[in-house]
Structure formats: C-alpha cells, structure tokens
Amino acid sequence: MMLPKVLAALVAIPTALSCVPRSTNGSMEVPETVPGPNEPSDPETVGYFINHFSLNVNNLTRSIEFYRDIFGMRHMFTHYLSPHITVTYMTHSQGGRNGTGYQTTDEMLRYKNNNGGHLEFIHLNITGEDIPGSPKQTSTLNHVGIIVPDVEATQERLEDYGVTIYKKVGEPMPSEGPLSRPATLGDATNLSDEEFAYFQEAMSQLNQLNIFAEDPDGNLLEILPLNEPPLFG
Ligand SMILES: *[C@@H]1O[C@H](CO)[C@@H](O)[C@H](O)[C@H]1NC(C)=O
Ligand SMILES: *[C@@H]1O[C@H](CO)[C@@H](O)[C@H](O)[C@H]1NC(C)=O
Ligand SMILES: *[C@@H]1O[C@H](CO)[C@@H](O)[C@H](O)[C@H]1NC(C)=O
Ligand SMILES: *[C@@H]1O[C@H](CO)[C@@H](O)[C@H](O)[C@H]1NC(C)=O
Ligand SMILES: *[C@@H]1O[C@H](CO)[C@@H](O)[C@H](O)[C@H]1NC(C)=O
C-alpha cells in the first residue's frame, strides 16, 4: 500500500522542508489554513457542480493519447464542428474514483451531465503558432489536478512515458522551471524575492506528497494522493 513507501520518502526529505518559520502578513501569522464559513449556498443553486475544464490543444491526437494512455481517461466523443474546429471530451469511467468498473461509450455519454471531472479539448486544426501552456500565463488557468491512489507508482509511470516532471514526491518546490518563477502565479511584479522564497517553502510543505508535471501543451498538472494528509494539522 501507499503509506510505508511514502513514509520512507518523507524520511528522506531534506531539512529545508522540516518546518517553515512562522511569518506575518501584517495582520495574521502565516502559513495558516482558515476554513470557509458554514453559510449554506443559495437553495436555487442546489444541483450545480463543476462538470468540465476546457483546454485549447495544439495537437488533438497527442492530447487524447496523453490523457488516455497515462491517466486512463476515456475518449467520450469528438464533435467535428467546422472544417477546422473540433471539440473533444475525455473522462474517467472506472466505476468511481478508485473502482474498476467499466462503462460503454453510450453509458458515458448518457451520464455526461451527471458526472464531473471531464476534460474538454478545443482544437483549431490549422498550422500556426503553438498556443502556450498555462505556465506562460496567457490566461488565468494555473493547473489541472488529478487524484491517484498511489503517487509513487504514478511517478514511475510518468517516468516510463517520458513525461516532464517538475517536482517529484518528497522533493521541495523546484529551483528551475516554471514552478520556480513568480510568473507562474500571474503578474507578480510587486512580489519581493524574499516573499516568493518564503511561499516556495510553505508550498514545499503543503505539497510533500504531490507531483507537478506537464501535459503535451505545457499545462501544469498537479498529481495528488486520494488520502492526503489533513489540511488542518
Ligand atoms: C493578511 O491576511 C488577512 C487574512 O486573510 C487579510 O485580511 C489581510 O488583508 C492580509 N494582509 C496583507 C497585507 O496581505
Ligand atoms: C500529433 O501527435 C501525434 C501523436 O503524438 C503525432 O504522431 C503527429 O505527428 C502530431 N502531428 C503534428 C502535426 O505534429
Ligand atoms: C477507496 O476509497 C475509499 C474512500 O476514500 C476508501 O475508504 C477505500 O479504502 C479506497 N479503497 C481502495 C482499494 O483504495
Ligand atoms: C487536421 O488536419 C489534417 C490535415 O488536413 C488531417 O489529416 C487531420 O485528420 C485533421 N485532424 C482533425 C482532428 O481534424
Ligand atoms: C506595483 O509596482 C508598481 C511599480 O513600482 C507601482 O506603481 C504599483 O503601485 C504597485 N502596485 C501595488 C499594488 O503595490
């Protein structure tokens, strides 16, 4: 099972991760996780939920293969909407988050709007400039999060497939690549180097068990375990 392997990895974590010194933002000590309020949502919104995120992709075949072969997503459908524009849906259909169930494509389509967690790809099939991935911050998309039962097994899988990994299980936030730059947060012109370094240390602690990697278009992926350590430790 996951735990002993992960514990072994944690023992090997450098001391940089052992504890982030408390700091203050002027009015409160950080890092600190503050739960949200108990206020119920507007009853009129009962039944609303997030169904999909949509990525602009540079090469549709490559993106379908990546999310299908590495992460086990199924290709639900592609709409060929015009001579050069397609819309594709991918989804997990395994009988629940950690089950082994199987659904036919017809069944997946029937439940399309009952389930969340779909990925949509929009593909403009004309030659042109590559659309930059999320770390380039041309938009507000930061990353796509994927739950896996065993992060270390997934890490080996990513390595086998030659996926670019920016941060492995048990490693601190990297000092190179997109995650090493405040630009990955958007326009961080006014953030001091000191605060970014501090943030990186807090993130290293928060993300000990997580992997950060990239998809074929350079979008950041966060891969995290089902049984995450408690947020409020
Ligand atoms: C510090 O955090 C508190 C609580 O989130 C917030 O209200 C306040 O605006 C923050 N101050 C600064 C300077 O960021
Ligand atoms: C798109 O990706 C597929 C699969 O990786 C590859 O075989 C094909 O050459 C790519 N097409 C272009 C135009 O790069
Ligand atoms: C599946 O997920 C449930 C809920 O998180 C958990 O209790 C159970 O142990 C998991 N089963 C397996 C085989 O991982
Ligand atoms: C994109 O265009 C190429 C060249 O016309 C074609 O071979 C390919 O099938 C098209 N892909 C899609 C998804 O329409
Ligand atoms: C950010 O920095 C610019 C240039 O130094 C300054 O004009 C601006 O007021 C700053 N913005 C904030 C929110 O501090």
Side-chain angles (χ1 to χ4, degrees):
M1 292 297 297
M2 182 186 86
L3 222 49
K5 273 162 94 187
V6 162
L7 285 179
L10 284 181
V11 169
I13 291 174
T15 47
L17 287 191
S18 56
C19 197
V20 185
R22 305 287 286 168
S23 180
T24 174
N25 79 345
S27 63
M28 73 182 289
E29 296 248 298
V30 294
E32 183 67 80
T33 308
V34 181
N38 278 321
E39 278 163 37
S41 51
D42 185 333
E44 285 186 16
T45 64
V46 169
Y48 289 21
F49 65 96
I50 294 186
N51 171 254
H52 67 272
F53 280 98
S54 182
L55 301 174
N56 291 321
V57 300
N58 288 296
N59 177 333
L60 180 63
T61 310
R62 187 176 65 173
S63 293
I64 290 175
E65 287 175 357
F66 181 86
Y67 285 96
R68 182 195 67 196
D69 297 347
I70 301 177
F71 292 107
M73 297 188 88
R74 299 266 305 277
H75 179 184
M76 289 173 87
F77 63 86
T78 296
H79 282 310
Y80 293 84
L81 290 174
S82 79
H84 295 103
I85 303 175
T86 55
V87 170
T88 296
Y89 265 59
M90 303 290 290
T91 198
H92 277 114
S93 173
Q94 300 152 350
R97 276 190 291 181
N98 59 6
T100 55
Y102 169 78
Q103 284 183 308
T104 63
T105 302
D106 274 352
E107 285 164 336
M108 294 193 303
L109 290 172
R110 199 177 314 139
Y111 294 114
K112 171 179 165 290
N113 288 10
N114 273 337
N115 291 335
H118 310 316
L119 261 189
E120 179 184 277
F121 299 146
I122 298 183
H123 183 228
L124 182 61
N125 196 11
I126 50 179
T127 47
E129 297 275 308
D130 268 8
I131 313 160
S134 59
K136 301 281 174 19
Q137 286 303 323
T138 50
S139 73
T140 56
L141 177 68
N142 195 294
H143 62 265
V144 175
I146 301 174
I147 294 286
V148 300
D150 181 337
V151 281
E152 297 208 312
T154 303
Q155 184 168 294
E156 282 174 25
R157 192 171 167 75
L158 298 177
E159 285 167 344
D160 289 347
Y161 276 94
V163 175
T164 301
I165 301 178
Y166 291 118
K167 179 203 164 299
K168 296 184 179 180
V169 179
E171 284 182 355
M173 293 301 276
S175 54
E176 289 179 352
L179 287 166
S180 70
R181 297 188 296 268
T184 303
L185 298 169
D187 179 5
T189 323
N190 293 44
L191 194 66
S192 71
D193 292 348
E194 293 73 29
E195 181 164 356
F196 185 67
Y198 184 83
F199 164 78
Q200 284 291 76
E201 238 183 283
M203 284 288 280
S204 293
Q205 235 179 33
L206 197 60
N207 291 302
Q208 279 178 19
L209 302 182
N210 297 357
I211 301 166
F212 283 97
E214 70 169 22
D215 86 352
D217 294 298
N219 291 304
L220 281 177
L221 303 178
E222 178 184 5
I223 296 149
L224 56 162
L226 179 63
N227 299 311
E228 201 176 40
L231 263 185
F232 305 95

